[in-house]
Amino acid sequence: MAKGPYRQIEKIETQEKSGPYGAWRREFCGNYRELLVQTRNHSYAALEKKLAATRGRITCRKGCAYCCFHYISVPLAHGIVIADDLYGRKNLLRTFLRNYERWRPQGEAISKTLDETRARAFASSMSIHEIIAVTRPLSMRYLERNIPCPFLEEKACLIYAVRPLPCSGQFSVSPPERCSPDAAEEAVIHQLVADDEDLLKFLELAGPRLMVSEMTLPTLIYRLLTEGASSMIRSCLPAK
């Protein structure tokens, strides 16, 4: 990488991997990835057990990318792991940057409004159900714009192994074509939520601030790549 943001990203990557912080970061990303696998396995097993009782089956398949047009926000902790994954796969990093520039004109403004709305809702100590109700109209407006995720390439997720939990927690048990916004019949979707034990492990590993500080997925990853996680982590810490 040499032109545009690439030179800056190379510089940031070197800083991110250096010294005690770099050592912490490597260990953190490894442990977080292990927790992701564990949490997904637990959630998936619970869903399969539930469906077995009704002879239902998951119909999601590779190439079905309807879910990849939804607004997705992720905690800073998870964003660090995704950025680390891209550091190790430069071709995919380039693809993300190219797709991000296509996403930006349509997705940036509404995503910023969503992020700000969510932040105000969290600050006012709203319940999660109230936050969902407040942000749902904006999320639906985002979906209606038909904006593909910058990590979607040829109907496949570039970061499948480290994709956000909201992405790996939605499963269709109806014909896949029903997931289309234009479908005549409504899709039957199961939304999986990690159990309390797994969520506590994420909190113990990352700490509350890195798990509560959330941002739109594309925006967060671009900032992490061009600014660095260390500077964003400092902005989350309380002033002394």
Side-chain angles (χ1 to χ4, degrees):
M1 296 188 294
K3 296 186 293 185
Y6 301 139
R7 190 179 299 278
Q8 174 67 10
I9 291 171
E10 284 184 326
K11 179 181 177 182
I12 292 296
E13 180 182 359
T14 299
Q15 294 173 354
E16 291 284 284
K17 293 181 176 180
S18 300
Y21 167 74
W24 168 85
R25 189 176 167 284
R26 284 190 294 275
E27 182 178 6
F28 171 79
C29 289
N31 291 336
Y32 196 102
R33 288 179 71 122
E34 289 180 8
L35 270 180
L36 277 179
V37 173
Q38 174 183 296
T39 300
R40 287 177 183 142
N41 288 344
H42 289 169
S43 298
Y44 192 82
L47 176 58
E48 283 195 314
K49 182 178 180 180
K50 180 179 179 179
L51 292 176
T54 60
R55 295 187 178 180
R57 66 185 182 89
I58 296 168
T59 57
C60 299
R61 295 290 183 272
K62 185 176 181 179
C64 175
Y66 293 116
C67 291
C68 302
F69 292 77
H70 286 265
Y71 164 81
I72 296 292
S73 68
V74 291
L76 179 54
H78 198 124
I80 292 170
V81 177
I82 293 173
D84 186 71
D85 187 63
L86 293 180
Y87 283 150
R89 301 192 292 167
K90 294 297 191 294
N91 286 340
L92 296 188
L93 192 156
R94 287 178 177 275
T95 300
F96 165 72
L97 292 175
R98 183 194 68 214
N99 291 347
Y100 177 79
E101 291 306 321
R102 295 173 181 171
W103 172 89
R104 205 169 192 167
Q106 282 188 290
E108 187 173 53
I110 190 169
S111 294
K112 182 179 180 182
T113 301
L114 268 160
D115 289 343
E116 291 172 347
T117 302
R118 284 172 59 87
R120 286 195 298 270
F122 273 114
S124 64
S125 300
M126 283 186 178
S127 70
I128 188 65
H129 297 293
E130 289 174 318
I131 292 172
I132 291 172
V134 167
T135 57
R136 186 178 297 278
L138 285 168
S139 298
M140 290 306 299
R141 195 185 308 166
Y142 182 99
L143 180 61
E144 289 166 0
R145 292 186 178 185
N146 200 38
I147 312 168
C149 173
F151 288 112
L152 181 65
E153 186 76 4
E154 297 181 356
K155 294 187 176 182
C157 178
L158 296 176
I159 54 167
Y160 191 79
V162 292
R163 66 198 186 281
L165 286 173
C167 301
S168 61
Q170 296 194 58
F171 290 94
S172 171
V173 295
S174 55
E177 57 269 19
R178 288 193 194 176
C179 293
S180 169
D182 302 324
E185 295 183 78
E186 188 173 350
V188 180
I189 304 293
H190 285 266
Q191 294 186 333
L192 307 185
V193 178
D195 63 37
D196 290 345
E197 185 176 341
D198 285 332
L199 289 175
L200 283 173
K201 289 178 181 178
F202 279 112
L203 284 172
E204 290 171 0
L205 174 64
R209 290 188 178 275
L210 294 191
M211 292 302 297
V212 170
S213 301
E214 289 195 359
M215 195 177 297
T216 302
L217 173 62
T219 305
L220 176 60
I221 302 308
Y222 186 80
R223 287 191 59 186
L224 284 169
L225 291 172
T226 56
E227 299 175 25
S230 55
S231 64
M232 295 185 72
I233 290 172
R234 284 195 295 271
S235 70
C236 294
L237 298 176
K240 293 184 179 180

